[in-house]
Amino acid sequence: MAQISLTFPDGNKRDYPAGVTAAEVAASISTSLAKKAISAQVDGKHFDLQWPIPADASIAINTLQDEAPALELIRHDLAHIMARAVQEIWPEVKVTIGPVVANGWYYDFDRAEPFTPEDLGAIEKKMKEIINARDPVKTEVWERDRAIAYYEERGEPFKVELIEAIPGDEPLRMYWHGAWQDLCRGPHLQHTGQVPADAFKLMSVAGAYWRGDSNRQMLQRIYGVAFKNREDLKAHLHMLEEAAKRDHRKLGKEMELFHLQEEAPGMVFWHPNGWQIYRTLEDYMRMRQRAAGYKEIRTPQVVDRKLWEASGHWEAYKENMFIVEVEEEHAKEKRINALKPMNCPCHVQVYNQGLKSYRDLPLRLAEFGSCHRYESSGSMHGLMRVRGFVQDDAHIFCTAEQIEGECADFIALLSSVYKDLGFDSFEIKLSTRPDVRIGSDEDWDTVETALENAIKKVGAAYEIDPGEGAFYGPKLDFKLTDAIGRKWQCGTFQVDPNLPNRLGAEYIGEDGAKHRPYMLHRAILGSFERFIGILIENYAGKLPFWLAPRQVVVASIVSDADAYVAEIVAALRARGVKAEADTRNEKINYKVREHSVGKVPVILAIGMQEVEARTVSLRRLGETRVESLTLDAVIDSLATEAKLPGAA
């Protein structure tokens, strides 16, 4: 029998018969490992313990202590266990697909009656029975005709359609969990008892069209979450409770920030309070970018398709663009324009005006650019996913030698901005060359090394995401962590030699010859709309004083204090504080409660005692303590707090 050589993580090698399984390899090492094993990494690929290994390879045996593979398998097995539970309770239900998603899984079912919350409880109970049964999981490889006949016999038309849609003619892998079977690529655990029975929960039911086609059958999608242990599940459910309390849509209504309506799907109607946040954030970013050497520009929102064709966006992005047809007075045919989905081609047009020299580089062009993208109605979510948005977009035109310095400066700027906005930690992911790409390996070596050196230069931690760069160049993605531990990808830095080449950007080098510049795409906040949603949820509406739309309410306790209230408001406004008066004939406790719901950071209560002493009683949002301070001290203190971070 042919032999193969397997290399272990410690560098040791062992010979085995060709076709040995990872389970047999684990057993050859120790009985203990064989019992703990759940899967293997074979040449970097996730392998089921039952799959044969045909050739020399590197191998590592996974156990439940290995976080990523363990969670993948637990969630994948739970998708199958849930589908089995559903069909054991309701045999007439048809099954479709059940992939792993963030924090859990879902499975789509065809059932005449809608699933109820009580049904979810019954399914959970049945799932725990299946887990406790410790039924073995086994896999076989079948020819397609046999698999189709199997599903036709059992009246599973969705499975038949799935098989017929799979390209090629390779055999298919079938999995059994006990007596229940499903078409699946795997891998899976070795028996149902390896799934922790107290670390999952069914969360919700939603409608989903078969294969995402609105003309096809509406199915019912059940979502579940799962973790390695009960403590992690409890932490996740607590986070979801916190997220619900912090929902920016709920707080946006309470704070009167914005609304959305059917007549303009995915477009934000900003109210005065929300627009105040927006403008303050824009003023702050404008100040920071100006200090960093960026020149602000403004480009059109409606651009002829010819530019999008030249840039390559028309071919690759047309279905996500809003198309505008215009009948020009003397034109023979309609002119086709598009609302810009991104700003980069327009920035190249600004760069191309006038001859550029190497002395002009790096040239940093920034725009608070208004963009529009056609997002599906099902994907839109408050401010987090919209069709009309503004980016803090900028493009840096530079030489290859300048990439590292520009990247390091950008990371330092981004880090400072995030810190000012309350985000002390963020992650950097460096996405490297994909299999399908343009440019030589030498060019990729140069720019990838430049980005990696820049990260090291500023002393930041990072991870490499192999093969996930754009076809034209590598990129950095920046994920910040909010107050309840969620990750948000906001900032980006991308190296692009392609677009300048397509759109004819060039500069005169020291040698007197023409050269193509590199174009660095960069954003710190990304979409203003989305970032404001993140801020609202991070702070649970209690925004930093300088960013709050309503900073101070001066509330009278008695009507005789109204004149002093007006004086205080005028003095605060003169020093740049957003102050307003509340002289309504209401009790002070009522006023405090109302303005606290509106997340006003500071309330100044004014009665006759304050009038006579020319003091104020200051209460901060979320605190019960009340301070009695002199008027001049309060004005000076609040005026300082109201300044933009870093402003003189």
Side-chain angles (χ1 to χ4, degrees):
M1 181 178 289
Q3 296 285 298
I4 61 172
S5 177
L6 299 183
T7 305
F8 293 88
D10 61 3
N12 287 327
K13 295 184 177 181
R14 290 192 186 187
D15 291 337
Y16 292 91
V20 66
T21 66
E24 291 168 337
V25 173
S28 75
I29 297 172
S30 73
T31 303
S32 173
L33 183 60
K35 290 179 179 179
K36 294 178 181 177
I38 58 170
S39 64
Q41 302 297 133
V42 178
D43 279 345
K45 297 179 180 178
H46 200 182
F47 246 59
D48 193 295
L49 290 178
Q50 300 176 46
W51 295 352
I53 304 171
D56 294 353
S58 63
I59 186 170
I61 303 298
N62 297 320
T63 71
L64 285 173
Q65 300 308 309
D66 296 296
E67 186 81 11
L71 282 174
E72 178 188 342
L73 293 181
I74 287 168
R75 290 163 179 167
H76 200 175
D77 277 55
L78 279 166
H80 284 214
I81 290 169
M82 181 177 75
R84 172 181 166 182
V86 167
Q87 289 199 310
E88 286 188 5
I89 300 171
W90 300 283
E92 75 283 0
V93 172
K94 307 302 180 187
V95 293
T96 61
I97 56 172
V100 172
V101 294
N103 299 315
W105 78 93
Y106 70 76
Y107 209 112
D108 290 347
F109 300 97
D110 181 26
R111 183 187 184 217
E113 297 297 321
F115 288 110
T116 66
E118 292 74 23
D119 290 338
L120 296 188
I123 297 167
E124 275 193 17
K125 182 179 178 182
K126 177 62 72 172
M127 290 173 69
K128 290 179 180 180
E129 292 176 5
I130 294 169
I131 292 169
N132 291 332
R134 300 175 65 86
D135 285 335
V137 176
K138 65 176 183 176
T139 180
E140 293 181 3
V141 176
W142 284 12
E143 294 298 328
R144 297 184 181 213
D145 290 346
R146 180 184 177 190
I148 289 173
Y150 178 88
Y151 285 121
E152 285 179 338
E153 182 182 342
R154 281 155 182 78
E156 295 284 6
F158 299 100
K159 293 295 183 183
V160 172
E161 184 176 335
L162 281 174
I163 294 172
E164 292 175 341
I166 297 173
D169 56 4
E170 294 85 0
L172 304 174
R173 192 166 290 281
M174 312 290 273
Y175 269 91
W176 278 259
H177 290 66
W180 187 87
Q181 186 275 341
D182 202 0
L183 167 73
C184 186
R185 289 178 299 180
H188 279 282
L189 294 168
Q190 300 310 292
H191 60 81
T192 61
Q194 288 181 304
V195 174
D198 60 350
F200 76 92
K201 183 174 179 57
L202 302 187
M203 301 298 294
S204 62
V205 181
Y209 290 110
W210 171 232
R211 307 192 75 174
D213 186 345
S214 60
N215 296 315
R216 303 294 301 276
Q217 199 156 346
M218 175 64 77
L219 305 173
Q220 296 186 68
R221 176 172 295 176
I222 299 180
Y223 286 94
V225 295
F227 297 87
K228 284 175 58 180
N229 53 61
R230 186 168 177 267
E231 290 69 29
D232 288 350
L233 174 64
K234 287 177 65 177
H236 178 75
L237 296 178
H238 176 71
M239 185 275 290
L240 293 180
E241 290 177 10
E242 278 296 309
K245 294 176 188 174
R246 295 164 179 262
D247 192 319
H248 71 282
R249 296 166 298 178
K250 170 179 170 287
L251 291 171
K253 187 173 183 179
E254 291 176 359
M255 297 170 68
E256 299 180 355
L257 302 180
F258 68 92
H259 82 274
L260 299 105
Q261 63 186 62
E262 291 182 2
E263 288 78 4
M267 311 288 183
V268 183
F269 289 79
W270 289 105
H271 298 193
N273 290 340
W275 191 240
Q276 183 64 65
I277 297 173
Y278 187 106
R279 291 301 302 272
T280 302
L281 191 60
E282 184 182 61
D283 289 345
Y284 167 74
M285 290 304 300
R286 178 173 285 116
M287 177 191 73
R288 295 303 307 269
Q289 291 185 157
R290 186 185 300 121
Y294 289 85
K295 298 178 179 179
E296 188 173 338
I297 61 174
R298 186 72 173 173
T299 60
Q301 287 182 251
V302 181
V303 181
D304 193 292
R305 67 178 285 180
K306 293 176 183 177
L307 180 59
W308 303 115
E309 288 174 338
S311 70
H313 289 99
W314 189 262
E315 179 181 357
Y317 211 75
K318 180 183 175 183
E319 67 273 12
N320 296 105
M321 298 169 73
F322 285 94
I323 310 301
V324 181
E325 292 187 359
V326 179
E327 288 198 34
E328 297 285 4
E329 187 176 350
H330 301 294
K332 295 181 180 179
E333 56 185 25
K334 289 183 178 180
R335 184 171 183 171
I336 300 177
N337 298 326
L339 291 174
K340 64 178 179 182
M342 62 274 297
N343 302 295
C344 16
C346 293
H347 286 202
V348 180
Q349 306 313 301
V350 174
Y351 175 89
N352 283 347
Q353 300 304 300
L355 189 65
K356 298 294 186 297
S357 159
Y358 70 93
R359 296 187 181 89
D360 298 314
L361 306 182
L363 178 61
R364 308 178 188 96
L365 300 179
E367 178 179 13
F368 299 116
S370 182
C371 299
H372 292 80
R373 298 177 186 174
Y374 181 76
E375 304 284 358
S376 66
S377 57
S379 69
M380 291 186 292
H381 176 73
L383 298 178
M384 302 304 194
R385 192 78 175 263
V386 291
R387 289 177 175 171
F389 59 95
V390 172
Q391 289 182 309
D392 66 321
D393 212 356
H395 294 90
I396 303 168
F397 297 87
C398 67
T399 66
E401 296 74 22
Q402 293 169 332
I403 292 174
E404 181 178 326
E406 289 301 306
C407 182
D409 289 346
F410 171 74
I411 296 172
L413 174 61
L414 174 141
S415 178
S416 176
V417 167
Y418 283 177
K419 191 168 185 178
D420 282 346
L421 292 169
F423 301 102
D424 292 327
S425 66
F426 60 88
E427 300 171 359
I428 303 177
K429 187 164 286 188
L430 168 57
S431 299
T432 57
R433 68 195 76 182
D435 292 335
V436 179
R437 59 184 182 270
I438 61 171
S440 67
D441 286 342
E442 290 77 13
D443 288 340
W444 278 87
D445 288 341
T446 297
V447 292
E448 286 178 352
T449 300
L451 295 192
E452 196 159 7
N453 286 343
I455 302 171
K456 293 175 180 176
K457 186 175 180 180
V458 297
Y462 66 100
E463 293 181 6
I464 293 180
D465 198 2
E468 292 303 313
F471 74 93
Y472 51 76
K475 64 175 181 173
L476 302 180
D477 287 326
F478 299 83
K479 288 186 178 181
L480 52 82
T481 304
D482 71 9
I484 56 176
R486 295 174 299 181
K487 309 288 185 184
W488 301 93
Q489 197 271 303
C490 297
T492 189
F493 187 92
Q494 303 176 19
V495 181
D496 183 1
N498 178 58
L499 200 59
N501 187 56
R502 292 188 68 121
L503 298 180
E506 56 190 22
Y507 68 94
I508 305 299
E510 285 188 81
D511 58 0
K514 292 181 178 180
H515 301 270
R516 297 291 187 203
Y518 280 88
M519 185 178 186
L520 310 179
H521 307 256
R522 50 112 294 186
I524 295 176
L525 307 184
S527 156
F528 265 75
E529 286 73 10
R530 180 170 176 266
F531 202 89
I532 289 172
I534 293 169
L535 283 170
I536 293 168
E537 296 197 0
N538 179 68
Y539 286 105
K542 301 173 185 176
L543 295 168
F545 189 83
W546 67 271
L547 191 55
R550 303 170 64 206
Q551 292 173 328
V552 180
V553 168
V554 187
S556 60
I557 298 173
V558 294
S559 59
D560 288 346
D562 289 356
Y564 187 43
V565 167
E567 178 188 343
I568 296 170
V569 169
L572 287 168
R573 288 177 176 173
R575 295 286 299 277
V577 180
K578 295 187 280 286
E580 57 192 85
D582 185 348
T583 56
R584 295 173 298 164
N585 184 25
E586 299 285 357
K587 292 182 178 181
I588 189 63
N589 287 343
Y590 175 86
K591 295 179 182 181
V592 169
R593 282 196 303 273
E594 184 181 82
H595 298 308
S596 295
V597 170
K599 303 297 187 289
V600 178
V602 172
I603 299 173
L604 303 180
I606 308 299
M608 291 311 298
Q609 182 177 334
E610 286 76 22
V611 172
E612 292 165 3
R614 292 192 63 76
T615 60
V616 299
S617 291
L618 183 149
R619 182 196 300 264
R620 291 188 180 271
L621 181 63
E623 297 181 4
T624 57
R625 183 169 60 97
V626 177
E627 293 183 273
S628 181
L629 303 167
T630 66
L631 177 59
D632 289 343
V634 166
I635 291 173
D636 288 343
S637 175
L638 295 180
T640 299
E641 287 186 52
K643 289 182 179 178
L644 299 178

